[in-house]
Amino acid sequence: MGKSHLTDGGIVAAATARGVLFVHSSPRALCPHVEWAVGRALGHAVNFAWVAQPVLSGAQRTEFSWQGDEGAGARIASALRGWEHLRYEVTEDPGETNDGGRWMHTPDLGVFFAQTDTAGNTVVPEDRIRYAMDIAGSNALELHRELRLALGQAWDDELEPFRYSGEGNPVVWLHKVG
């Protein structure tokens, strides 16, 4: 899966990536549109197994493991961005030539992106930490606020109730990287 390109030594296949899309809540009428958007982002049709989201009456949820070219996680998140009634997370596992990523979206907060390491931890770049320290000065509460923002804590807080939707939902197995 993926494009290939020529080098002096022959054909080299483009690196592939994989990850998981978690749609935590979607209005029922929007579900087919989500599938079409994700399919366009991946370059092939997809079908999701939707189940009721008990946290929000009338909403549906799904989990979908995907494979695609590097950067497909960003394309999926971009395809779903701006749909104000969706709550979702997209992860892209790190590969040999790329970092991992995590995109979270809520209707109230919009999109948050964070780089992730091979264990799935959020990576906060040095410049972002320096910025937080500069803004906070000697104010420990302000530093705490800036670091929570850098980690996407507000998105995690808003999505947490939607992540656990009850018994009988599919289990997502993590992929081994490396």
Side-chain angles (χ1 to χ4, degrees), residues 23-24 51-55 60-63 160-170:
V23 177
H24 296 297
V51 296
Q53 170 55 271
V55 174
Q60 300 289 298
R61 72 177 304 278
T62 192
E63 299 173 7
E160 193 63 21
F162 293 90
R163 289 180 176 139
Y164 302 100
S165 61
E167 295 180 27
N169 289 323

Side-chain angles (χ1 to χ4, degrees), residues 129-137:
I129 294 171
R130 289 185 191 281
Y131 173 79
M133 292 181 344
D134 287 346
I135 292 295

Side-chain angles (χ1 to χ4, degrees), residues 123-139 142-143 146-147 150:
V123 175
V124 180
E126 176 184 346
D127 287 343
R128 182 62 179 96
I129 294 171
R130 289 185 191 281
Y131 173 79
M133 292 181 344
D134 287 346
I135 292 295
S138 61
N139 184 335
E142 182 64 16
L143 179 61
E146 284 292 329
L147 292 176

Side-chain angles (χ1 to χ4, degrees), residues 20-24 61-64 87-91 172:
V20 180
L21 166 64
F22 301 92
V23 177
H24 296 297
R61 72 177 304 278
T62 192
E63 299 173 7
F64 177 72
R87 288 176 181 83
Y88 64 86
E89 291 180 79
V90 179
T91 64
V172 175

Side-chain angles (χ1 to χ4, degrees), residues 15-20 66-67 70 91-101 116-121 173-178:
T16 59
R18 60 183 166 187
V20 180
W66 59 266
Q67 287 189 339
E70 286 182 0
T91 64
E92 182 169 329
D93 296 340
E96 291 180 23
T97 60
N98 67 309
D99 296 324
T116 57
D117 66 14
T118 57
N121 296 305
W173 297 100
L174 299 177
H175 303 291
K176 183 178 185 235
V177 178

